[in-house]
Amino acid sequence: MWAIYTGPKSFNIEKKWVLPIVISLSFLFSLLVVAFNLGMLSSSQPIFSILSLKSSSNQTDSSLINPNATFPPPPDAPRIPRLAYLISGSKGDLDRLWRTLLALYHPLNQYVVHLDLEAPVEERLALATRVESNPIFSEVGNVHVIKKANMVTYRGPTMVSNTLHACAILLRQEKNWDWFINLSASDYPLVTQDDLLSIFTSLPRNLNFIEHTSNLGWKNAKRGRPLIVDPGLYMSTKSDIFWAKQNRELPTAFKLFTGSAWMALSRSFVEFCIWGWDNLPRTLLMYYTNFVSSPEGYFQTVICNSPEFQRTVVNHDLHYISWDNPPRQHPHSLTLNDTGNMVSSKAPFARKFKRNDPVLDSIDSLFLNRKNNSFTYGGWCAGNPPCSEVGDRTNLSPGPGARRLAKLMDRIVNSPYFNESQCK
């Protein structure tokens, strides 16, 4: 009665413990091996060296660096800016507009060229044919012709309308340009595009070069108060503006500014003028429709009445221009006698020049290294003859013009008095 049979039950209990014991022994064996290896390592060098660190030095032992390791790249250099040009002309301006275009050309930039409605159809077609048949322009695709010509009269609002038209084309054609520059066929560069791009690379991209003042002076009575009608808005032939008998009061909803019609505008400000998310650009466009010489006031008044852009204005038009005192409607035509003044101005552009004046050949030779009526030489030029092929578009070769322009930027942009001349 007291005898109990336990044999088979004990056997079952021992069999259940076999697997856990084997696993435990394997784990202990692994720990012993690791401990042994660590002991060997610690006897030959400090444990911090295993982690590629040294307690006694701030320098890293290059022999312990993983050769496949990756490191953050250095900061990128500023991107070379892209410029967007409008070059406009009228009757008889085909050849000198073409010359200005070749002198200004760079494959990084964008160009809109326009001969207005006063130019004969033959001249406008010849311009389009020249652009289409030029192998460099065809390859790069950055020169655009306004084939549906606009009527442009300087003293009326049609010049402003034409400028905004070119801006809209450039915004649609290319997304990456940084500044818009308006020129006429009677303008000419005093520096190469390599000079200009190299200096503008270091500038804030929101700067707007607009000569301006709120001191209207004689323009108060001669420009601000008169009412005019520009026939260029509705006629197919050019004629002078019409003057209304009654004058108007100066506005109180915004402050008038005046200045040069030639400027370099940031892309952000151009978008503001074109898209007009604020109604101010449209309101002022309607106001300046009846304003004498509206190209000398529209953009100045828009930017100086826009808090978002007031602090971006540089009070300079990037031009050397020789005016009468007081200024007349048009400046003096420049000649070889003005060469010294052009150089001392350090400006990248000058105006105005007569057709084929010898001073243009002098500028080509002294400032632009432009030969054989071809392009201004730059780092992008390749082939034989030079500039017959497009090489590295980002290869800039600035020269003396860049040093002159850098001094101008130091005076008008980097000066501690920069803000004191804004919208005053």
Side-chain angles (χ1 to χ4, degrees):
M1 174 176 184
W2 296 101
I4 300 174
Y5 179 68
T6 60
K9 186 176 181 181
S10 299
F11 174 78
N12 290 336
I13 294 174
E14 291 174 358
K15 187 175 181 179
K16 291 179 180 180
W17 284 98
V18 170
L19 183 60
I21 291 172
V22 170
I23 294 174
S24 300
L25 290 174
S26 299
F27 180 73
L28 289 172
F29 179 78
S30 300
L31 289 177
L32 289 173
V33 170
V34 171
F36 176 78
N37 289 334
L38 287 176
M40 293 294 292
L41 287 170
S42 61
S43 64
S44 59
Q45 61 186 44
I47 188 66
F48 289 115
S49 66
I50 300 173
L51 303 176
S52 299
L53 298 174
K54 288 187 177 181
S55 58
S56 60
S57 173
N58 292 327
Q59 296 180 349
T60 303
D61 187 347
S62 60
S63 64
L64 298 176
I65 296 177
N66 182 357
N68 296 320
T70 59
F71 299 94
D76 292 335
R79 179 181 67 84
I80 299 172
R82 275 71 169 162
L83 307 178
Y85 285 96
L86 164 64
I87 310 172
S88 56
S90 189
K91 181 180 179 179
D93 284 339
L94 172 62
D95 288 335
R96 65 173 176 172
L97 185 151
W98 186 254
R99 178 173 186 161
T100 300
L101 172 62
L102 296 182
L104 288 167
Y105 186 75
H106 194 287
L108 286 179
N109 296 337
Q110 294 289 318
Y111 301 84
V112 167
V113 290
H114 174 249
L115 288 174
D116 73 10
L117 201 57
E118 188 182 38
V121 174
E122 294 78 14
E123 287 189 2
R124 300 202 302 270
L125 290 176
L127 176 61
T129 301
R130 288 187 187 186
V131 171
E132 291 171 359
S133 60
N134 185 282
I136 298 295
F137 295 165
S138 298
E139 177 184 349
V140 181
N142 62 341
V143 180
H144 316 285
V145 181
I146 298 180
K147 295 182 180 180
K148 188 175 181 181
N150 302 309
M151 180 59 70
V152 178
T153 53
Y154 184 84
R155 294 212 293 172
T158 46
M159 183 175 171
V160 173
S161 174
N162 187 62
T163 301
L164 294 172
H165 183 198
C167 289
I169 292 172
L170 290 162
L171 288 173
R172 181 175 182 179
Q173 291 291 340
E174 177 57 46
K175 307 296 184 185
N176 295 321
W177 55 266
D178 300 282
W179 279 283
F180 168 81
I181 300 175
N182 68 322
L183 301 173
S184 77
S186 60
D187 289 71
Y188 211 66
L190 301 178
V191 300
T192 69
Q193 290 302 288
D194 282 13
D195 295 333
L196 192 58
L197 293 174
S198 65
I199 298 303
F200 272 46
T201 297
S202 62
L203 296 180
R205 302 298 161 91
N206 66 339
L207 292 180
N208 291 276
F209 295 86
I210 305 179
E211 184 187 82
H212 63 281
T213 180
S214 62
N215 182 14
L216 300 185
W218 63 270
K219 292 184 179 181
N220 189 342
K222 299 295 184 180
R223 302 281 175 84
R225 294 185 181 275
L227 283 166
I228 61 99
V229 176
D230 184 1
L233 291 172
Y234 56 88
M235 300 290 289
S236 59
T237 56
K238 188 177 294 188
S239 61
D240 199 7
I241 57 177
F242 298 151
W243 296 79
K245 293 182 179 179
Q246 187 174 3
N247 287 344
R248 60 180 171 184
E249 297 298 321
L250 294 180
T252 57
F254 46 84
K255 187 175 182 179
L256 293 180
F257 288 80
T258 187
S260 172
W262 313 103
M263 57 201 73
L265 307 178
S266 68
R267 183 186 178 94
S268 58
F269 180 62
V270 169
E271 290 176 339
F272 175 71
C273 292
I274 297 296
W275 308 134
W277 52 87
D278 185 303
N279 202 38
L280 180 67
R282 282 183 289 268
T283 299
L284 291 179
L285 187 61
M286 297 180 70
Y287 175 81
Y288 274 96
T289 300
N290 305 113
F291 196 95
V292 182
S293 297
S294 55
E296 298 176 0
Y298 173 72
F299 291 102
Q300 288 85 350
T301 302
V302 171
I303 200 166
C304 284
N305 284 273
S306 304
E308 179 180 352
F309 295 101
Q310 285 176 346
R311 292 302 182 184
T312 68
V313 187
V314 182
N315 200 352
H316 200 283
D317 63 1
L318 302 181
H319 273 72
Y320 172 75
I321 306 175
S322 178
W323 291 98
D324 289 305
N325 189 15
R328 298 183 179 181
Q329 184 69 48
H330 299 288
H332 295 154
S333 293
L334 301 176
T335 66
L336 286 169
N337 294 331
D338 296 291
T339 303
N341 290 333
M342 286 188 282
V343 173
S344 62
S345 75
K346 302 175 179 58
F349 307 103
R351 74 181 317 270
K352 65 180 188 173
F353 296 95
K354 293 181 179 179
R355 295 179 180 88
N356 297 320
D357 193 285
V359 68
L360 297 174
D361 295 329
S362 177
I363 292 172
D364 283 346
S365 175
L366 294 175
F367 304 149
L368 305 182
N369 192 20
R370 179 175 178 266
K371 302 176 181 178
N372 302 321
N373 296 320
S374 183
F375 298 105
T376 294
Y377 185 82
W380 64 271
C381 289
N384 188 17
C387 304
S388 60
E389 297 178 9
V390 178
D392 183 357
R393 305 180 190 192
T394 62
N395 180 26
L396 301 182
S397 299
R403 293 192 288 271
R404 296 197 306 272
L405 187 56
K407 292 179 180 178
L408 177 64
M409 293 300 115
D410 284 342
R411 179 166 62 85
I412 65 176
V413 174
N414 301 324
S415 166
Y417 308 104
F418 171 65
N419 293 329
E420 294 183 6
S421 63
Q422 290 176 315
C423 298
K424 301 297 185 182

